[in-house]
Amino acid sequence: MTINDLARLGYPGFKSDESSPLPAAALGDGYRILIYSHDSFGLGHLRRCRVIAHALVEHRSNLSVLILSGSPIIGSFDFRSRVDFVRVPGVIKLRNGEYTALNLHIGLQQTLAIRASIIEHTAEVFEPHLFLVDKEPLGLRGEIEPTLAFLKEQGTPLVLGLRDVMDEPELLLPEWERKNAMPALSKYYDSIWVYGLPQICDPLAGLSVPNSIRRKMVYTGYLRRELPQRISGEQGLSDKPYILVTPGGGGDGEALVDWVLRVYEQRPMPVRALVVTGPFMQPDKQAEFQQRATRLSNAEVLTFDAHPEYLMAGAAAVVAMGGYNTFCEILSFDKRTLLVPRTEPRREQLIRAVKAQNAGLLTMLEDDGVRDVDQMATALRQLLQQNKPSDVVVPGLLDGLENVNRLFGRLVDKSAMHQRSSRVKAV
């Protein structure tokens, strides 16, 4: 169900052309949103939560947002006024699928207990008017369930935010059964916001989802990205055209970067390559790629940029793996794009790439393990001639942040009315 569907059905507080207002009685008090991002590795969850937080405070001067995250590099990002974060001890996922503490020399159970305690006590002190959870219904290893139970008892609206694609149904189903995800959706959550459109992707496709849960799902559209304000003294890029090559956080992007660099080493290319390896790529691989680029006249390798939007906006075209945030940036800045998605351990990127290609928004190239130089060279040359995403009209494609603001207004309005009614009854 989309926002416009709700408006057409006559739901109070929803209109197709304006945001739902906050209750007037509460405007002077200020609102607080607590956002949970379980990040242990990568940038995806944190960047999605950050852009939502910024959009919310930009539209509402009486709102503060606090983000809970385990990301080891959250401090590398700038945050707008009235947005802050609490960093819980980090964990990292091992190759065998198990987790371990990132920096502390203590057991995983101790680390999770510390995280759970910080999360719950933060919620008790912060007293949020809404708790927004990113992707994991019960958090990492169930760490937010005590917080969900506490806030539910307080009458705080609880929202789960899902990206457009989760994984293949046959992989997602046993994972969600193991994590008791579906019962959590029924027991705790008031709403499920899907940051995409149903005509492109359904994150729970192939799963047996009760109607009671389906009715909680609202498709917002993708989250539009804007150019952030430049920091004083920050250097811009040259005016020469370039293809941006970005594997996101970089933890699993070595194959993509190597494939593109081999093309530039062995074939003449009409446009230079700007490669951003990402902060989580292994340091030895980063050093190797930078050394290879120094021997080329038309390739450059950067490690990390806290404002990737500028790199994306300035690119003639983009080569990426296809994570959610990168996809939103591609759509927002209307870039000709070639996606080379990963297929392990999740097939999320592959599903998104196939759906987006079928919709005519971009092209994709599957990594067959051989990584033929001529195949990539041809794809890169054709990339510069292909259509832009804006050549395809998809209503509501990038309305996500506007609709998140609208949904927030609707939920806190309903919550405030419930609380006022409860006080009246008590009297």
Side-chain angles (χ1 to χ4, degrees):
M1 184 176 292
T2 65
I3 294 290
N4 287 333
D5 292 331
L6 293 171
R8 285 193 296 269
L9 290 171
Y11 275 58
F14 287 99
K15 297 183 180 180
S16 60
D17 59 350
E18 65 181 4
S19 296
S20 173
L22 290 176
L27 288 175
D29 300 333
Y31 276 91
R32 298 174 297 279
I33 295 181
L34 185 62
I35 299 180
Y36 167 83
S37 171
H38 80 287
D39 289 78
S40 57
F41 191 66
L43 299 174
H45 305 286
L46 171 60
R47 291 188 61 210
R48 181 164 55 246
C49 293
R50 176 174 171 266
V51 75
I52 290 171
H54 285 183
L56 287 166
V57 299
E58 180 181 2
H59 284 79
R60 307 184 189 279
S61 61
N62 65 327
L63 176 65
S64 295
V65 181
L66 189 60
I67 300 175
L68 293 157
S69 174
S71 172
I73 65 167
I74 190 171
S76 300
F77 290 92
D78 57 295
F79 291 87
R80 290 185 177 178
S81 177
R82 293 178 287 115
V83 178
D84 209 338
F85 65 88
V86 172
R87 181 172 180 251
V88 298
V91 297
I92 191 169
K93 197 172 187 177
L94 303 175
R95 292 185 181 275
N96 62 5
E98 295 298 317
Y99 286 93
T100 188
L102 178 61
N103 292 318
L104 299 176
H105 292 286
I106 62 175
L108 176 62
Q109 293 306 315
Q110 288 176 286
T111 304
L112 291 174
I114 294 171
R115 287 169 57 107
S117 178
I118 293 173
I119 292 166
E120 185 172 8
H121 282 83
T122 299
E124 291 174 356
V125 175
F126 190 59
E127 296 182 330
H129 295 88
L130 184 142
F131 186 32
L132 176 58
V133 176
D134 189 74
K135 182 182 174 290
E136 294 288 343
L138 291 175
L140 180 64
R141 295 292 179 91
E143 66 183 357
I144 67 168
E145 185 163 16
T147 302
L148 289 169
F150 166 74
L151 292 176
K152 188 75 172 179
E153 186 176 349
Q154 303 301 308
T156 306
L158 307 176
V159 177
L160 177 68
L162 295 179
R163 64 192 182 211
D164 58 341
V165 184
M166 296 292 285
D167 206 340
E168 290 279 11
E170 59 267 25
L171 298 176
L172 181 61
L173 178 58
E175 177 185 342
W176 270 37
E177 287 180 343
R178 185 177 69 253
K179 295 179 177 180
N180 292 317
M182 209 68 76
L185 297 185
S186 297
K187 181 177 181 180
Y188 294 113
Y189 286 95
D190 301 285
S191 187
I192 302 168
W193 299 349
V194 181
Y195 308 127
L197 291 177
Q199 60 266 44
I200 296 180
C201 296
D202 173 5
L204 302 184
L207 273 64
S208 179
V209 182
N211 289 334
S212 59
I213 292 177
R214 281 286 179 190
R215 286 193 291 269
K216 296 180 181 182
M217 295 176 64
V218 181
Y219 288 83
T220 67
Y222 290 90
L223 306 178
R224 185 187 297 275
R225 305 306 164 91
E226 306 286 350
L227 288 177
Q229 183 177 358
R230 276 204 180 278
I231 298 174
S232 177
E234 192 175 31
Q235 298 297 314
L237 295 170
S238 69
D239 293 331
K240 295 181 180 179
Y242 61 89
I243 295 175
L244 176 65
V245 182
T246 169
D252 52 6
E254 298 171 1
L256 172 62
V257 173
D258 173 69
W259 198 358
V260 172
L261 282 180
R262 284 194 291 117
V263 170
Y264 277 79
E265 289 166 340
Q266 300 177 38
R267 300 289 185 271
M269 297 301 296
V271 179
R272 71 189 182 105
L274 175 63
V275 179
V276 183
T277 61
F280 295 114
M281 185 174 287
Q282 291 296 321
D284 59 332
K285 297 304 294 187
Q286 291 180 1
E288 175 195 327
F289 293 144
Q290 288 176 327
Q291 186 176 29
R292 288 167 62 180
T294 60
R295 297 193 289 265
L296 300 170
S297 61
N298 59 347
E300 180 182 358
V301 173
L302 305 177
T303 300
F304 175 65
D305 193 299
H307 299 111
E309 298 91 349
Y310 277 103
L311 302 181
M312 181 75 70
V318 175
V319 179
M321 294 174 65
Y324 179 83
N325 291 287
T326 301
F327 185 59
C328 288
E329 290 165 356
I330 288 164
L331 298 178
S332 300
F333 300 117
D334 200 24
K335 295 301 170 180
R336 297 179 173 91
T337 300
L338 172 69
L339 292 186
V340 186
R342 73 180 180 199
T343 57
E344 294 179 351
R346 296 189 181 276
R347 297 176 67 82
E348 164 223 344
Q349 293 182 358
L350 177 62
I351 296 170
R352 181 178 297 113
V354 170
K355 297 282 189 179
Q357 179 172 254
N358 291 343
L361 297 169
L362 46 77
T363 59
M364 65 165 285
L365 177 64
E366 289 195 56
D367 183 350
D368 59 2
V370 177
R371 306 185 187 106
D372 180 74
V373 168
D374 287 329
Q375 185 183 26
M376 176 61 80
T378 299
L380 292 177
R381 293 191 184 100
Q382 292 175 344
L383 171 62
L384 298 170
Q385 309 301 321
Q386 75 183 40
N387 291 334
K388 293 183 176 182
S390 62
D391 292 324
V392 178
V393 178
V394 182
L397 183 64
L398 286 167
D399 288 352
L401 294 176
E402 176 186 346
N403 287 330
V404 164
N405 267 289
R406 196 174 303 172
L407 287 163
F408 167 68
R410 169 63 180 165
L411 275 176
V412 296
D413 192 1
K414 180 179 178 181
S415 177
M417 287 189 295
H418 173 73
Q419 290 172 1
R420 285 197 294 269
S421 175
S422 298
R423 287 195 294 269
V424 169
K425 291 179 180 179
V427 173

